[in-house]
Amino acid sequence: MLSEFQKRKLALRFYMLDTSKDGILELADFEQHGQKLAELRGIQPGSTDYEKIMSAALYNWETYWKPADADGDNKITLDEFLKSADILIAAKTTEKTNYQVQKGLFDSVDIDGDGEITLKEYTLFLNSFGRSEEDAKIGFSKIDTNGDGKLSRDDFSIALYEYNTGNDPQAPANWFFGSY
Ligand SMILES: [Ca+2]
Ligand SMILES: [Ca+2]
Ligand SMILES: [Ca+2]
């Protein structure tokens, strides 16, 4: 069973991803988010980088979110998402799926592709969800565990995994998407 804390944290993530703000997650939300991310980064539609962002968005939807669509109507309600998260967390099957999704996500945040995420890159990522620079600063400092000003692939994956599955109200990874 998800705790109230987990439900609240996952609901925040759900609504953050709901780009169209209609209370339902569907492919269009992920496409819109991809477009927003590309726009913030000054990437033109049709370029290779643009295609990369859009395919990461599609992959994220297909792999992580679509399986939660219990009634198969291509729309995910918060209820469907929480039920699915509950099952996945209980079965501990999130780890592998998360890894694949995180890989795509990491690559789309790591703008210069040097294998590390800087505060600047992270800020852009959070901005794409409508979060502020202040949120990014706090989130970054919480998940940059060795304080070297960069997020490694491990820092990023471990924090996101904790965010998605953890039940510790004190965990630094709760700040992954900014204040909560
Ligand atoms: Ca929506
Ligand atoms: Ca559905
Ligand atoms: Ca980088």
Side-chain angles (χ1 to χ4, degrees):
M1 277 287 282
L2 295 175
S3 69
E4 285 308 309
F5 170 68
Q6 283 174 310
K7 280 186 198 162
R8 187 167 70 84
K9 192 167 56 161
L10 291 168
L12 274 173
R13 178 145 195 238
F14 180 93
Y15 288 118
M16 201 172 63
L17 286 164
D18 178 16
T19 316
S20 65
K21 304 297 172 205
D22 61 355
I24 285 165
L25 282 185
E26 55 195 326
L27 178 58
D29 290 300
F30 292 81
E31 288 173 343
Q32 280 166 26
H33 177 252
Q35 285 160 6
K36 175 91 184 150
L37 194 59
E39 191 189 311
L40 283 169
R41 286 170 52 178
I43 290 170
Q44 298 303 319
S47 64
T48 316
D49 282 346
Y50 188 85
E51 293 309 319
K52 241 192 248 173
I53 290 177
M54 295 311 281
S55 65
L58 182 67
Y59 189 81
N60 188 6
W61 161 253
E62 290 281 345
T63 320
Y64 187 76
W65 297 91
K66 188 71 179 64
D69 179 20
D71 64 1
D73 64 353
N74 289 317
K75 296 178 198 315
I76 297 170
T77 59
L78 179 60
D79 192 45
E80 282 178 320
F81 173 52
L82 292 179
K83 276 193 185 128
S84 149
D86 191 16
I87 293 165
L88 287 174
I89 292 170
K92 298 194 191 315
T93 52
T94 40
E95 203 149 3
K96 197 166 166 264
T97 315
N98 265 337
Y99 180 76
Q100 294 298 329
V101 173
Q102 282 155 7
K103 197 176 171 300
L105 192 60
F106 184 94
D107 290 341
S108 62
V109 181
D110 178 20
I111 300 174
D112 62 7
D114 68 349
E116 290 174 324
I117 293 171
T118 59
L119 175 60
K120 202 176 155 205
E121 289 170 330
Y122 184 77
T123 302
L124 236 157
F125 174 59
L126 258 67
N127 285 163
S128 72
F129 293 115
R131 306 311 304 256
S132 69
E133 259 172 56
E134 203 49 41
D135 277 319
K137 221 182 267 174
I138 299 169
F140 192 89
S141 71
K142 299 272 185 190
I143 55 182
D144 175 18
T145 45
N146 70 355
D148 69 349
K150 291 163 193 159
L151 303 180
S152 67
R153 214 174 265 280
D154 276 354
D155 289 335
F156 188 85
S157 313
I158 291 166
L160 190 53
Y161 181 68
E162 168 65 28
Y163 186 96
N164 286 333
T165 62
N167 188 26
D168 174 7
Q170 305 301 327
N174 297 337
W175 297 85
F176 193 91
F177 295 101
S179 53
Y180 69 99

